[in-house]
Amino acid sequence: MKWKVDLHLHTSFSYDGLCSPARVVELSRARGLSKIAVTDHNTVAGALEARKLAPELVIVGEEVRTRRGELLALFIEEEIPPDLDPLETIRLIREQGGIVGIPHPFDRIRREAMGPYALEIIEEVDFIEGFNARTVLQADNAEAMRIAAERGIPASAGSDAHTPWEIGTAWVEMDPFGGEKEFLEALRRGRIGGRKSPLWVHVFSTLAKLRR
């Protein structure tokens, strides 16, 4: 039996997130997700709270702002500080036994995307996000998938959900896994599924950001 895994989503512990950890857990289960990676901006607090509610469901993660764009940290326990050099951020993630990915690497609209710099550090990471449901230009996801195939690096997928309507819109169908090593092996063999989120979801996360 395959698992359906959303590898990038946010709770209200992100400055632009609208769902409490409890609501994220509830909706993830309702939508048939086997695992989720809770990856709030620059904090693991929401992920830790969600894991207390559903330890079998939640991978603790963080979307970390670096000086050159964002990185995803998965299978960590302690917060990685923002605004460091990307290589220093990677070192700190690995010190915790975590794994490292590049989210929405070639998204030309997001300021937080690494863009061409992603290619400079791609040998230092474990995966790149091949499909992000919030990426507006489909060609940018396609470029990530092309680079993943060309470089032989696993490609992940995530809803990047900031609202309740988005949870589970993108996923990877994977073999069941235990720890980090099994996860990467399963991700390499996984199959990406899902759909793009509608543009209007960005309005809600922007309003959440302004409210705070």
Side-chain angles (χ1 to χ4, degrees), residues 99-122:
I99 62 174
V100 187
I102 306 177
H104 42 70
F106 305 113
D107 191 321
R108 287 169 284 177
I109 294 176
R110 296 191 219 210
R111 290 176 312 216
E112 305 88 353
M114 286 195 161
Y117 179 72
L119 298 176
E120 296 184 31
I121 64 164
I122 199 165

Side-chain angles (χ1 to χ4, degrees), residues 94-173:
R94 298 220 185 278
E95 280 185 356
Q96 293 192 42
I99 62 174
V100 187
I102 306 177
H104 42 70
F106 305 113
D107 191 321
R108 287 169 284 177
I109 294 176
R110 296 191 219 210
R111 290 176 312 216
E112 305 88 353
M114 286 195 161
Y117 179 72
L119 298 176
E120 296 184 31
I121 64 164
I122 199 165
E123 301 299 329
E124 306 297 327
V125 304
D126 300 299
F127 67 94
I128 63 173
E129 191 171 54
F131 182 70
N132 179 295
R134 277 194 158 217
T135 293
V136 173
L137 302 175
Q138 188 53 39
D140 296 345
N141 277 330
E143 178 66 3
M145 290 297 295
R146 185 187 73 79
I147 291 295
E150 181 182 277
R151 300 297 183 95
I153 186 171
S156 72
S159 64
D160 199 0
H162 290 69
T163 71
W165 306 284
E166 299 172 80
I167 293 170
T169 53
W171 65 85
V172 185
E173 190 178 84

Side-chain angles (χ1 to χ4, degrees), residues 4-149:
K4 186 178 178 182
V5 185
D6 185 341
L7 286 169
H8 183 175
L9 55 81
H10 297 264
T11 76
S12 52
F13 280 78
S14 287
Y15 57 84
D16 51 358
L18 293 176
C19 284
S20 69
R23 184 70 169 145
V24 166
V25 166
E26 176 189 4
L27 290 172
S28 296
R29 285 172 167 164
R31 292 172 189 171
L33 294 170
S34 308
K35 289 277 187 181
I36 57 172
V38 177
T39 53
D40 284 316
H41 295 292
N42 308 312
T43 181
V44 294
L48 292 173
E49 185 170 315
R51 189 176 64 179
K52 286 180 183 177
L53 299 170
E56 81 293 345
L57 176 70
V58 175
I59 298 168
V60 174
E62 180 182 349
E63 189 168 25
V64 189
R65 185 180 65 242
T66 79
R67 293 174 188 164
R68 300 294 298 270
E70 291 178 325
L71 289 169
L72 284 178
L74 303 183
F75 297 97
I76 61 173
E77 296 292 326
E78 298 179 6
E79 184 176 300
I80 305 294
D83 300 322
L84 302 175
D85 180 86
L87 294 179
E88 175 66 6
T89 301
I90 290 169
R91 184 186 69 79
L92 292 175
I93 295 168
R94 298 220 185 278
E95 280 185 356
Q96 293 192 42
I99 62 174
V100 187
I102 306 177
H104 42 70
F106 305 113
D107 191 321
R108 287 169 284 177
I109 294 176
R110 296 191 219 210
R111 290 176 312 216
E112 305 88 353
M114 286 195 161
Y117 179 72
L119 298 176
E120 296 184 31
I121 64 164
I122 199 165
E123 301 299 329
E124 306 297 327
V125 304
D126 300 299
F127 67 94
I128 63 173
E129 191 171 54
F131 182 70
N132 179 295
R134 277 194 158 217
T135 293
V136 173
L137 302 175
Q138 188 53 39
D140 296 345
N141 277 330
E143 178 66 3
M145 290 297 295
R146 185 187 73 79
I147 291 295

